Amino acid sequence: RRAGERVMQSITRFITGKLKLKVNESKSAVARPAERKFLGFSFTNGKQPKRRIAPKSLLRFKKRIRELTKRNRGVSLERMVEQLRLYLTGWRGYFGFCETRSVLRDLDSWIRRRLRCFQWKQWKRGKTRFAELRKRGVGKDLAAQTAGSSRGLWHLSRSPALNIALPGAYFDSLGLPRLSEAG
């Protein structure tokens, strides 16, 4: 720890003296890599540390997605996907090279589930829900059971009927990018 503090003082003197830059003391510290975050990233513990998205960055991301996918916004699904596409493309460009791909896959799944909630809410009545499910290839019994369910939106967004009616490929066709794929 003392060696780290000596190096930090030396670097701080160099940055302020030679480069004439200001060092932010509140953001600078001597600590293990897993305990710090740097530009939205942090590192895992272990023999082979991996670059991961910092927890605060994930919280900010989820907050923004919740704002964009609110069920009472009064926009069409296509418009919502367009707004999401703009945000997700930039976010993926910055955070897409993290080494914890499972986090990105989970975020992809979560976003698509929120969109299923939104669409289910848009269909409103049981008749409309039944008709939309049938139109999208869901069997008659499953469509009737799902459309008549008293379960909440979030629970039903993971139901087999909605996964058949609104699969990931449907959102891909609308132009929604996947975070877990490079590109």
Side-chain angles (χ1 to χ4, degrees), residues 23-29 36:
V23 175
N24 187 337
E25 297 295 331
S26 65
K27 291 183 178 180
S28 304
R36 303 291 297 167

Side-chain angles (χ1 to χ4, degrees), residues 31 33 128:
T128 309

